[in-house]
Amino acid sequence: MRRAPATPARFLHISHVVAVLVPVLIVALAITGFVWAQKGVTVVVDGESRFMKTQADSVAGLLDEADIATDEGDLVTPSLDSPVTDGMSVLVRHSVAVRLVLAGETLELDVVGSTVADALVAAGADPGASSSVEPSLDAPLEPGMTITAKDVFVRVLQEPAVVPYQTLTRNDSTLASGVRKVVTAGKPGKSLRVYRVMVSNGVEGVRSLTAEQVVLAPVDEVVVVGTKKATAVSTHTTLGKAAAAPKGGVQRVVSATGYAPGTDGVDFRTATGATATYGIVAVDPRVIPLGTRLYIPGYGYGIAADTGGAIKGDKIDLCFNTRAEAIAWGRRTVTITILP
């Protein structure tokens, strides 16, 4: 019986080498494929950046692999279902739960941001329109914090206003001293005023006048004041014997009472500045203007140059030089003549 020839030792050695190398090559190729399948990604979480290698197919898988939790209110860019590509950047910003009291209304917000100003923007408010915010606009957000923002704005109002007139006084030497006469009646004018008003939470604050336009100028009142010294006219001779009655003039029935200066507390100074003497007549200026010449039967001529607290309406006082003359006259009802 013939035996098969023996295999040479060198052939056994090569087969052993191949048997060893093939598994090694398979493992190497697998490792190389794994490395090639990994993608380099930069992940930025709330401002902190890190680089990582991943085989995740989506952004959601990438964040799970990196153990980064997200909630519904968080911002993830690109979106969670976006595919992961080599060299991409993923931004994650976690929201902060805060309470915002805006114009009296309370809002619960999940804010993606870092400052109080971001919270106002998230609520749809303009941070620049709210001048009263606590904490301040640049304060950092903290979970559970309460932010109070008053709804403050400026309102411009236009309102009509009255422009007062001025009173101008002039001296008139043709009028008796103390007599006032309105030459031109005053009339107020009109203007349009512009105000800036701060309104906070619907409540109007302090107004500030920014402009005023006169639409109707006022008319100044002009008053003349008499400076002429009153001069008593004495034409009588003795009591009860007066000069002849004048012709013309306006007659008026009055109650006439005699008085004497220097007695009973009556001084010599009159309302017009003239010295009280015979011929001075005290009158009610609303009835008989000061400076008016008068004729009184039984007394003679006189001039209205004084007033008195008790002299109202159709009452006059006649000045005498002595108390005896005043008592002798007493009080009489007479028809006087008001001379032109």
Side-chain angles (χ1 to χ4, degrees):
M1 180 175 179
R2 297 180 63 186
R3 293 183 177 180
T7 303
R10 60 185 180 88
F11 292 112
L12 291 174
H13 178 71
I14 292 174
S15 63
H16 289 165
V17 171
V18 171
V20 173
L21 289 177
V22 169
V24 172
L25 289 174
I26 292 173
V27 172
L29 290 173
I31 294 174
T32 303
F34 176 79
V35 173
W36 285 346
Q38 284 188 322
K39 291 155 281 193
V41 180
T42 300
V43 181
V44 181
V45 181
D46 296 329
E48 295 184 2
S49 177
R50 62 174 171 169
F51 180 80
M52 60 182 293
K53 289 283 190 175
T54 182
Q55 282 189 308
D57 295 326
S58 66
V59 172
L62 168 67
L63 297 181
D64 288 339
E65 183 180 312
D67 197 22
I68 299 174
T70 59
D71 291 328
E72 183 178 352
D74 298 338
L75 174 66
V76 180
T77 305
S79 60
L80 292 174
D81 57 357
S82 298
V84 176
T85 59
D86 186 43
M88 76 182 303
S89 295
V90 177
L91 174 66
V92 178
R93 296 187 67 181
H94 290 109
S95 61
V96 181
V98 299
R99 178 179 292 107
L100 174 62
V101 181
L102 178 63
E105 181 181 358
T106 301
L107 305 174
E108 301 291 341
L109 301 174
D110 290 325
V111 181
V112 176
S114 57
T115 65
V116 169
D118 295 328
L120 292 178
V121 173
D126 181 4
S130 299
S131 62
S132 179
V133 181
E134 295 180 359
S136 61
L137 291 174
D138 57 355
L141 291 179
E142 297 179 3
M145 75 185 303
T146 298
I147 302 169
T148 302
K150 293 182 179 180
D151 185 13
V152 179
F153 62 93
V154 177
R155 176 181 295 165
V156 179
L157 299 178
Q158 292 185 346
E159 292 185 354
V162 175
V163 181
Y165 62 82
Q166 295 182 340
T167 299
L168 306 178
T169 303
R170 300 174 184 171
N171 293 331
D172 189 338
S173 60
T174 64
L175 292 178
S177 177
V179 176
R180 295 174 62 90
K181 183 178 180 181
V182 177
V183 177
T184 303
K187 294 182 180 180
K190 296 180 181 179
S191 69
L192 187 64
R193 293 181 176 179
V194 180
Y195 294 94
R196 283 173 56 88
V197 186
M198 295 296 295
V199 180
S200 176
N201 290 341
V203 179
E204 184 176 304
V206 178
R207 295 186 176 191
S208 58
L209 181 64
T210 59
E212 182 174 9
Q213 180 181 4
V214 177
V215 295
L216 179 63
V219 177
D220 291 335
E221 182 177 77
V222 180
V223 178
V224 293
V225 179
T227 59
K228 183 180 180 180
K229 294 290 184 179
T231 303
V233 179
S234 179
T235 58
H236 80 298
T237 53
T238 59
L239 185 62
K241 295 182 180 180
K247 295 181 180 180
V250 177
Q251 293 185 332
R252 191 180 190 96
V253 178
V254 299
S255 174
T257 303
Y259 77 97
T263 62
D264 300 326
V266 180
D267 59 26
F268 286 88
R269 187 170 183 81
T270 64
T272 60
T275 301
T277 186
Y278 194 98
I280 293 293
V281 181
V283 299
D284 183 347
R286 297 172 300 178
V287 178
I288 302 175
L290 292 174
T292 302
R293 295 178 67 247
L294 306 170
Y295 174 76
I296 304 95
Y299 180 82
Y301 289 92
I303 186 168
D306 200 4
T307 60
I311 302 174
K312 304 294 182 184
D314 291 324
K315 292 182 179 180
I316 64 174
D317 279 359
L318 304 177
C319 183
F320 290 88
N321 290 329
T322 66
R323 188 170 185 272
E325 290 178 321
I327 293 175
W329 176 272
R331 178 179 297 167
R332 305 180 188 181
T333 299
V334 294
T335 301
I336 66 173
T337 301
I338 301 174
L339 301 175

